[in-house]
C-alpha cells in the first residue's frame, strides 16, 4: 500500500484549497491496518491503482482491493467512504485499438498542459456544493458512483475531434524570383555559410557530449 505526495500532486490539491495528508514523497506500508490508519479523517481519496481496463474498475473493486468492510464504512472514521468521494484519474481513456490492456489514460499527457482543468476537478471533488459548475469533470472519475453513467470512463476516438483540419493542396504557386547577385557577393555568402555550418556542427557535437 502506498500514499503519494509528489510535488505535482500536492500542488493540485493545494490549488483547490485542500491539504495533503502524507507530508513525504512516498509513504509505503506493508500492512492493511497501517494503511487504513493513515486514511482516517481523509475527506477525498484518489485511487491510482493500476487496472488493465478502467471500465471494469467499480466501487466494489475499490472496496475489495483495499479490504473495507461495511462496519468500517459506517464507523465514520473514513469520511471519503461516507460521502462517496473516491476518485480515479481515468475519466478519459483511449479506444482499445492495440489489443488487451491498451486503454491508455489521457491523464498522463493531458494534465500537464491543462493544470487549470485539473484544479477545477479537484475543487469540485473537495467542495462539490461550492463548485457545482465543475461537476462535469475532465480527468477525475468518482468510482464510488460507478453505477452512474456520468461516472463511466469516456472512450475518446478520432471521430470526437471537433477541430477541422486545414485544407491542403499540391498546387505550386509561383513566387517572385530572387534578385540576381554579383559573383563576388555569392562567394562571400558561400564562405559565410560554410563558417556558420562549422559552428553549427561544433555546437551539435558539444550538445551530444553533454548528453552522454
Amino acid at each position: 500500500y502506498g500514499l503519494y505526495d509528489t510535488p505535482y500532486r500536492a500542488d493540485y490539491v493545494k490549488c483547490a484549497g485542500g491539504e495533503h495528508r502524507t507530508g513525504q514523497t512516498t509513504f509505503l506500508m506493508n500492512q492493511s491496518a497501517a494503511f487504513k490508519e493513515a486514511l482516517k479523517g481523509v475527506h477525498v481519496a484518489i485511487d491510482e491503482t493500476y487496472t488493465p481496463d478502467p471500465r471494469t474498475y467499480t466501487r466494489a473493486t475499490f472496496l475489495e482491493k483495499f479490504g473495507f468492510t461495511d462496519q468500517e464504512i459506517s464507523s465514520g472514521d473514513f469520511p471519503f467512504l461516507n460521502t462517496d468521494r473516491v476518485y480515479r484519474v481515468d475519466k478519459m481513456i483511449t479506444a482499445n485499438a492495440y489489443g488487451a490492456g491498451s486503454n491508455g489514460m489521457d491523464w498522463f499527457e493531458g494534465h500537464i498542459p491543462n493544470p487549470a482543468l485539473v484544479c477545477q476537478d479537484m475543487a469540485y471533488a473537495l467542495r462539490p456544493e461550492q463548485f457545482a459548475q465543475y461537476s462535469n469533470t475532465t480527468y477525475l472519475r468518482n468510482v464510488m458512483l460507478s453505477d452512474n453513467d456520468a461516472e463511466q470512463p469516456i472512450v475518446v476516438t478520432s471521430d470526437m475531434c471537433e477541430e477541422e483540419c486545414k485544407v491542403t493542396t499540391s498546387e505550386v504557386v509561383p513566387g517572385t524570383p530572387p534578385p540576381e547577385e554579383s559573383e563576388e557577393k555569392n562567394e562571400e555568402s558561400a564562405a559565410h555559410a560554410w563558417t556558420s555550418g562549422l559552428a553549427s556542427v561544433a555546437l551539435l557535437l558539444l550538445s551530444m557530449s553533454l548528453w552522454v
Side-chain angles (χ1 to χ4, degrees):
Y1 301 93
L3 298 176
Y4 298 98
D5 190 24
T6 45
Y8 80 89
R9 289 183 175 95
D11 287 344
Y12 282 144
V13 173
K14 291 176 183 178
C15 82
E19 181 181 350
H20 234 260
R21 167 55 65 93
T22 61
Q24 52 187 311
T25 301
T26 306
F27 184 27
L28 298 176
M29 291 143 286
N30 295 324
Q31 297 181 354
S32 175
F35 179 72
K36 291 179 179 178
E37 185 66 27
L39 290 178
K40 286 185 176 180
V42 171
H43 289 84
V44 176
I46 298 178
D47 177 17
E48 293 190 37
T49 304
Y50 169 76
T51 180
D53 188 352
R55 291 168 294 186
T56 64
Y57 200 103
T58 64
R59 180 181 189 275
T61 308
F62 170 80
L63 295 177
E64 180 182 359
K65 282 186 175 294
F66 292 95
F68 284 106
T69 64
D70 292 339
Q71 182 178 358
E72 288 174 326
I73 295 174
S74 61
S75 67
D77 291 337
F78 308 98
F80 61 90
L81 294 179
N82 301 127
T83 57
D84 289 331
R85 286 195 282 177
V86 178
Y87 291 85
R88 288 181 56 81
V89 292
D90 56 13
K91 185 70 175 285
M92 289 199 297
I93 61 175
T94 59
N96 195 3
Y98 303 101
S102 65
N103 298 286
M105 294 187 294
D106 181 63
W107 165 261
F108 292 113
E109 293 183 358
H111 82 90
I112 299 173
N114 299 299
L117 295 179
V118 181
C119 288
Q120 291 176 7
D121 285 5
M122 290 297 303
Y124 176 73
L126 291 170
R127 297 178 176 85
E129 297 82 8
Q130 297 180 25
F131 297 100
Q133 67 271 32
Y134 302 139
S135 60
N136 186 20
T137 55
T138 302
Y139 301 108
L140 295 186
R141 177 175 72 94
N142 191 332
V143 71
M144 301 300 279
L145 304 179
S146 54
D147 292 337
N148 187 337
D149 291 339
E151 294 301 332
Q152 292 294 320
I154 299 172
V155 180
V156 180
T157 66
S158 58
D159 297 335
M160 299 169 65
C161 182
E162 298 178 353
E163 293 188 12
E164 295 184 4
C165 296
K166 295 182 179 180
V167 177
T168 58
T169 177
S170 59
E171 179 182 359
V172 178
V173 179
T176 304
E180 294 184 1
E181 298 181 353
S182 63
E183 183 176 349
E184 180 180 355
K185 190 171 184 180
N186 288 336
E187 291 178 355
E188 291 178 358
S189 298
H192 175 71
W194 171 247
T195 304
S196 299
L198 288 177
S200 298
V201 172
L203 289 174
L204 177 61
L205 292 176
L206 179 59
S207 298
M208 291 174 64
S209 66
L210 287 176
W211 277 106
V212 172

